């Protein structure tokens, strides 16, 4: 099913997914589905069913690029936009939706009524009725920003009040969408070795910035930079779930590896977790040794 990405040739409905926060712990302590058949909603109230938590409570999550993963819905702080700025300028929205065909307006209206009047959860309806692949995740699209969606969907999402279900029409059909949360847009960019070296000369930078080295211990033994906490990428399963316990998403975070590729993977993941400003050291510690500080060994 085609979707909402404006810049992709096929325009997929779900923006690039991102993993959510996992259960908390302390670093000091630790090292789908067959498609559901579509069934039109009757005009009468839905039949009684066994009580259960809505999917929005059970799922809550974006899909990893490699497949579906089940996580709790991410916790987020809601930030207010200054009145002088365009609505939600520089914001990211946590959005869930369902999609029906262009001719299924009556179905869409019935679904909307069941949410407003009957207290039915949009995510439950998405599993049964949505044509978007995100149905397998309760209609969750994850965190989206301007420029990632087709214009009609973007206008509806960025104009919708928090938690209110609204409808819109795109070339893919009719949507019911709900904005669950908003946050300031995160920054991810490279930092050149020379610039990092200049910053490293200031002792306060090492104390205040969050410096992460994702190389393996044997690599760090050959060459290292002061102040960097070693979190080997191979041990992601150990430290990944507790990053927001050990590091502050609001502080500048710098990620280093050998040549800049593993660190970029981690930097993108940190951004998806709500880390506000993440910098990948371009070219890694090798480029740092060659371009900025010859006292650092190469290997």
């Amino acid at each position: 099913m085609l979707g909402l990405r404006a810049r992709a040739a096929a325009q997929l409905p779900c923006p690039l997914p991102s993993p959510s926060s996992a259960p908390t712990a302390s670093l000091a302590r630790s090292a789908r589905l067959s498609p559901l058949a579509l069934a039109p909603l009757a005009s009468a109230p839905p039949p009684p069913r066994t009580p259960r938590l809505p999917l929005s409570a059970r799922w809550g999550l974006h899909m990893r690029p490699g497949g579906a993963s089940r996580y709790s819905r991410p916790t987020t702080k809601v930030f207010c936009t200054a009145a002088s700025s365009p609505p939600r300028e520089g914001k990211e929205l946590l959005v869930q939706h369902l999609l029906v065909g262009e001719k299924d307006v009556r179905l869409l209206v019935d679904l909307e009524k069941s949410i407003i009047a009957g207290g039915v959860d949009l995510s439950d309806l998405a599993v049964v009725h949505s044509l978007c692949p995100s149905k397998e995740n309760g209609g969750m699209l994850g965190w989206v920003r301007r420029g990632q969606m087709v214009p009609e969907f973007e206008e509806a999402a960025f104009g919708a009040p928090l938690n209110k279900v609204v409808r819109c029409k795109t070339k893919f059909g009719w949507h019911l969408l709900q904005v669950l949360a908003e946050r300031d847009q995160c920054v991810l960019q490279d930092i050149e070795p020379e610039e990092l070296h200049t910053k490293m000369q200031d002792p306060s930078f090492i104390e205040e910035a969050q410096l992460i080295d994702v190389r393996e211990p044997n690599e760090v033994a050959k060459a290292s930079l002061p102040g960097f906490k070693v979190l080997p990428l191979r041990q992601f399963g150990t430290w990944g779930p507790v990053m927001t316990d050990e590091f502050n998403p609001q502080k500048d975070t710098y990620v280093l590896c050998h040549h800049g590729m593993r660190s970029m993977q981690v930097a993108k993941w940190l951004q998806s977790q709500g880390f506000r400003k993440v910098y990948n050291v371009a070219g890694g510690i090798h480029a740092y040794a060659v371009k900025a500080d010859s006292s650092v060994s190469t290997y």
Side-chain angles (χ1 to χ4, degrees):
M1 181 65 208
L2 290 180
L4 299 173
R5 261 202 199 281
R7 54 189 170 88
Q11 291 192 322
L12 298 177
C14 303
L16 281 178
S18 59
S20 71
S21 302
T24 58
S26 169
L27 273 177
R29 297 197 305 272
S30 59
R32 185 180 77 130
L33 305 171
S34 52
L36 299 176
L38 297 178
L41 184 71
S43 57
R49 59 180 180 177
T50 303
R52 62 192 180 100
L53 288 174
L55 271 174
S56 59
R58 300 197 310 274
W59 289 85
L61 240 263
H62 333 344
M63 310 222 346
R64 287 181 181 274
S69 297
R70 299 183 182 185
Y71 295 89
S72 60
R73 173 168 291 168
T75 301
T76 182
K77 294 182 179 179
V78 177
F79 300 89
C80 296
T81 304
S84 59
S85 302
R88 286 174 168 155
E89 184 68 22
K91 299 292 182 180
E92 294 178 326
L93 307 180
L94 183 61
V95 180
Q96 65 179 2
H97 85 131
L98 64 79
L99 170 68
V100 299
E102 185 176 353
K103 298 180 180 179
D104 294 327
V105 179
R106 177 59 185 276
L107 171 60
L108 185 87
V109 172
D110 287 343
L111 293 173
E112 186 175 19
K113 287 180 179 178
S114 69
I115 295 173
I116 297 173
V120 179
D121 196 277
L122 186 150
S123 58
D124 284 321
L125 296 178
V127 168
V128 179
H129 299 281
S130 183
L131 301 178
C132 177
S134 65
K135 65 183 289 179
E136 297 188 0
N137 207 24
M140 182 64 68
L141 297 181
W143 291 101
V144 299
R145 63 181 65 179
R146 291 189 183 276
Q148 291 184 313
M149 302 161 288
V150 293
E152 300 87 351
F153 192 95
E154 180 175 294
E155 181 180 356
F158 278 83
L162 284 175
N163 298 313
K164 182 178 180 179
V165 174
V166 300
R167 71 176 78 163
C168 72
K169 185 178 183 297
T170 70
K171 63 182 180 180
F172 306 110
W174 284 96
H175 307 257
L176 288 180
L177 67 91
Q178 185 176 27
V179 178
L180 302 173
E182 66 180 60
R183 69 185 184 189
D184 288 335
Q185 187 169 304
C186 301
V187 174
L188 170 60
Q189 64 186 55
D190 281 344
I191 181 171
E192 293 299 322
E194 298 90 339
E195 182 180 355
L196 176 62
H197 179 65
T198 300
K199 290 179 177 293
M200 294 283 288
Q201 306 315 302
D202 182 356
S204 64
F205 170 77
I206 297 179
E207 293 177 3
E208 296 172 5
Q210 298 181 137
L211 308 175
I212 300 173
D213 188 334
V214 298
R215 295 175 299 147
E216 299 304 309
N218 65 305
E219 295 180 272
V220 176
K222 298 175 182 176
S224 62
L225 297 181
F228 277 80
K229 185 177 183 66
V230 180
L231 299 176
L233 184 55
R234 289 183 184 177
Q235 297 177 24
F236 175 81
T238 298
W239 54 260
V242 296
M243 281 298 289
T244 53
D245 289 345
E246 305 294 332
F247 294 89
N248 184 352
Q250 302 303 315
K251 295 181 65 174
D252 292 2
T253 305
Y254 297 78
V255 191
L256 173 75
C257 71
H258 191 194
H259 290 292
M261 298 182 68
R262 285 172 289 175
S263 56
M264 177 57 76
Q265 284 182 278
V266 174
K268 288 181 177 179
W269 179 80
L270 288 171
Q271 183 190 36
S272 76
Q273 300 305 294
F275 278 70
R276 293 289 301 116
K277 294 182 180 180
V278 185
Y279 300 90
N280 178 53
V281 181
I285 196 168
H286 178 80
Y288 187 92
V290 172
K291 297 180 179 180
D293 187 354
S294 59
S295 68
V296 177
S297 302
T298 58
Y299 64 95

